[in-house]
Amino acid sequence: MAKTLYRNGAVYSAADPFATAMVVDGDTISWLGGEDAADRHAESVDQIVDLRGGLVTPAFVESHTHLAALGRTLAGGDLSSATSASSLLALVAGQGQKSSKVVLAQGWDNSGWAQQELPAENDLTSAADGRAYYLSRRDVHSALVNQELLDFLGLGDLKPGLVAGNDHDEVRLALAKAQKADHEFQRLALAHYASRGFATVVEMAAPQLEGRAALDQLLADDQPNLPKVYAYWGELVSDADAADELFASFPSGRLLGLGGDLKVDGSLGSHTAYLREDYSDRSGERGTLYLDKEKIAAHLVACSTRGIQASFHVIGDGALDVVLDGFDLAAEQIGVSKVQMGRHRLEHVEMVDEPTRSRLLQYAITVSMQPVFDKAWGGSNGMYVQRLGERAETMNNLSAMLSAGVPMVLGSDAPVTEVDGWEVVRAAMNMSNARARISARAAFLAQTRSTYRAMGEMNPLAGQLAIGAQATFAVWTASELAVQTPDVRISSWSTDARAGTPMLPVVDEEIPQCLRTVRAGITIFDNLEQVI
């Protein structure tokens, strides 16, 4: 591995906020500094990369993704551009090879359509050329299916049309068993992540989400020229021995915990998130609760006893109440400190009030959130308001989480939202509720250093650019750098050079483009020579 000098740019490093150059020796950063000192290092390196004003930052870490689903979307199974029933039919008609038995596509979201009525089953079957189809909603908690698919999967007792809740899970589980794990989709997704400046991703797997065979294949294929993959496995356990056995059945160091998309409830878009009060657009309905507090507590006790991280998918405020009741019950059995030591986490956590934040903090629970959800569904006319009315105003309060001291990581839930760390930063700075907004630095750290900590990474330099740190970084176009916060007074003060605050790209209008991604000294994406 060559010794390389990167120079004539900007290096995002708290260790040296004014650095414009960096030396990478093998898989390690061996020096940071300015151009005068870079001249001396130029004599002893194997190669020199002229950044021409580009920015070097730690590579992003994706905290919540679904690789095979993302790969299928990138390969053409994308229905997100549908704006009406007729346009959805047209997209389905263009899906896949006619020789395939099942049309698998995802991403439609009728909450933003002028007319929200979905196509009839016979019209969709005709568009699919008579084939079976599984067409998941954008949130992947409900889907359109036809009789042909149900017959193919041996689920003749279910009704075709829109399936949600337990019926949808039954379809997903049968699909996972019927499908051959297609590693090409996973690799396509990983290559896409590399092209967006990500060197590490965390896969959320479960029996009904692609299945165990797909995860085993993914973890077995650790290619150094692709991002590093870690995973959570969403399977419930009820005793410590079962937790130990299940956890040990995965490759050592690659499984982070038992949970992730272990569902306590569903999603707001599919009306399956479990709420304290009725949905505003469906009187008498409060969603679907998959786990009670006793099962949650048993899982927590089993995992905590053996030092295994547990995690749950929870969106609605009613579901979060049940989860925290489960934490209380587990603490009664094994003690608060034992629960805290588990470093447990919750996925999504969109509806949180002040008393609930205190309960999260009590158990040192990490929350994994997705700011681009607000961009997709927030605002005065968005899906959140349709489903929740005035309750939507307090959704996804990132600032309150940080102010309360609740550990937080940010991600995309791809393919639900796009793979773009800077778009996450922009969304976090521009939440619909102004009080929910956080600084660019906070949003960036929640996708780098904080994410490694949430994964249990013991190296204090992980996710940073510093001498002695692993050379895992990305190079970006960056026409303007600044310190950006929701408070213009702080932003103005921090841009003063005397503040010594490392600066990030201004993302108000232009999103930086990735020029190179490096993982442990190995380049996994390179567009540097072609662009600059």
Side-chain angles (χ1 to χ4, degrees):
M1 298 171 69
K3 187 175 183 180
T4 304
L5 169 64
Y6 291 83
R7 66 179 307 180
N8 295 324
V11 180
Y12 183 86
S13 172
D16 186 348
F18 306 107
T20 63
M22 178 176 78
V23 172
V24 174
D25 191 352
D27 62 355
T28 304
I29 296 170
S30 62
W31 175 81
L32 294 167
E35 290 307 314
D36 290 343
D39 288 335
R40 296 192 295 273
H41 283 278
E43 301 174 0
S44 61
V45 299
D46 299 307
Q47 56 184 352
I48 299 174
V49 175
D50 187 347
L51 295 169
R52 302 181 193 176
L55 172 68
V56 182
T57 72
F60 284 118
V61 182
E62 171 62 85
S63 64
H64 189 123
T65 189
H66 303 277
L67 290 170
L70 174 60
R72 277 194 293 272
T73 298
L74 295 171
D78 185 3
L79 304 176
S80 62
S81 61
T83 57
S84 64
S86 59
S87 65
L88 179 58
L89 287 170
L91 288 171
V92 172
Q95 290 297 314
Q97 298 179 356
K98 301 300 183 183
S99 59
S100 62
K101 293 182 179 179
V102 181
V103 176
L104 298 175
Q106 56 215 11
W108 60 268
D109 182 359
N110 62 332
S111 66
W113 297 358
Q115 301 293 327
Q116 295 187 10
E117 184 177 356
L118 294 166
E121 179 203 355
N122 60 329
D123 292 333
L124 281 167
T125 301
S126 177
D129 200 32
R131 293 174 291 167
Y133 62 74
Y134 170 84
L135 312 173
S136 66
R137 198 179 187 281
R138 182 175 180 179
D139 54 54
V140 203
H141 283 272
S142 59
L144 293 164
V145 302
N146 59 358
Q147 190 63 52
E148 285 77 2
L149 180 78
L150 298 177
D151 291 342
F152 172 70
L153 297 176
L155 300 176
D157 55 324
L158 298 183
K159 293 183 179 180
L162 182 65
V163 292
N166 291 315
D167 288 349
H168 179 246
D169 284 349
E170 192 173 351
V171 171
R172 288 296 301 266
L173 186 60
L175 263 177
K177 292 178 178 178
Q179 288 177 266
K180 180 181 178 181
D182 194 332
H183 195 47
E184 289 307 308
F185 287 140
Q186 295 169 333
R187 287 195 173 193
L188 179 62
L190 286 171
H192 183 66
Y193 268 106
S195 74
R196 298 299 180 94
F198 287 79
T200 307
V201 303
V202 179
E203 169 80 347
M204 295 291 162
Q208 78 279 7
L209 300 176
E210 312 299 336
R212 176 66 190 263
L215 181 58
D216 286 342
Q217 187 178 48
L218 177 65
L219 295 182
D221 187 38
D222 183 17
Q223 298 292 322
N225 61 336
L226 290 171
K228 182 80 171 180
V229 178
Y230 297 90
Y232 287 92
W233 178 246
E235 184 174 341
L236 194 70
V237 293
S238 58
D239 64 79
D241 288 341
D244 235 357
E245 182 179 355
L246 181 57
F247 191 80
S249 68
F250 291 90
S252 178
R254 303 297 298 283
L255 191 72
L256 298 176
L258 297 177
D261 271 340
L262 179 56
K263 292 194 302 182
V264 178
D265 69 343
S267 72
L268 290 167
S270 294
H271 291 95
T272 52
Y274 187 68
L275 307 180
R276 292 173 181 169
E277 301 175 6
D278 293 356
Y279 279 90
S280 295
D281 56 351
R282 287 194 182 179
S283 179
E285 292 189 21
R286 295 194 177 186
T288 303
L289 187 67
Y290 293 97
L291 299 176
D292 57 30
K293 67 178 182 179
E294 287 78 17
K295 289 180 179 178
I296 292 167
H299 186 79
L300 286 168
V301 169
C303 291
S304 300
T305 300
R306 297 302 168 89
I308 299 170
Q309 188 180 32
S311 181
F312 299 93
H313 165 109
V314 53
I315 288 182
D317 50 4
L320 186 54
D321 290 341
V322 175
V323 168
L324 292 171
D325 288 345
F327 270 85
D328 290 342
L329 187 56
E332 290 175 9
Q333 299 176 37
I334 61 174
V336 172
S337 62
K338 192 72 172 180
V339 174
Q340 290 174 335
M341 290 172 62
R343 299 180 302 101
H344 305 308
R345 60 184 261 173
L346 301 178
E347 307 299 320
H348 310 311
V349 197
E350 295 194 77
M351 301 178 68
V352 188
D353 56 19
E354 188 58 40
T356 306
R357 276 188 287 274
S358 297
R359 296 180 74 186
L360 291 169
L361 190 60
Q362 177 186 0
Y363 294 113
I365 298 170
T366 295
V367 297
S368 166
M369 302 179 73
Q370 292 73 37
V372 184
F373 283 4
D374 181 77
K375 177 185 175 184
W377 298 310
S380 58
N381 297 312
M383 182 268 290
Y384 287 152
V385 169
Q386 294 176 29
R387 300 290 189 267
L388 302 172
E390 292 181 355
R391 290 169 290 175
E393 294 178 5
T394 60
M395 294 281 293
N396 296 300
N397 195 329
L398 309 180
S399 179
M401 287 293 193
L402 289 180
S403 298
V406 177
M408 181 178 72
V409 297
L410 302 180
S412 70
D413 195 14
V416 178
T417 70
E418 64 182 314
V419 174
D420 195 323
W422 298 116
E423 188 61 50
V424 170
V425 170
R426 178 157 65 182
M429 293 177 62
N430 294 279
M431 303 295 286
S432 300
N433 175 6
R435 291 173 295 178
R437 297 169 183 170
I438 60 175
S439 69
R441 180 175 181 271
F444 181 76
L445 292 179
Q447 299 179 82
T448 50
R449 189 174 67 186
S450 298
T451 312
Y452 281 112
R453 289 179 178 176
M455 292 164 56
E457 172 59 56
M458 301 303 293
N459 184 350
L461 295 180
Q464 301 182 66
L465 299 183
I467 295 173
Q470 186 184 77
T472 296
F473 60 91
V475 181
W476 307 91
T477 59
S479 57
E480 183 181 359
L481 301 178
V483 175
Q484 305 150 82
T485 78
D487 188 331
V488 68
R489 296 167 299 172
I490 297 174
S491 299
S492 177
W493 170 81
S494 299
T495 53
D496 188 324
R498 292 170 294 178
T501 305
M503 294 186 288
L504 290 167
V506 174
V507 294
D508 288 343
E509 297 181 1
E510 183 180 354
I511 292 292
Q513 299 301 304
C514 184
L515 302 177
R516 177 176 289 183
T517 307
V518 177
R519 168 191 161 192
I522 297 175
T523 298
I524 62 175
F525 170 77
D526 199 7
N527 198 33
L528 198 59
E529 297 301 326
Q530 295 91 321
V531 175
I532 67 172

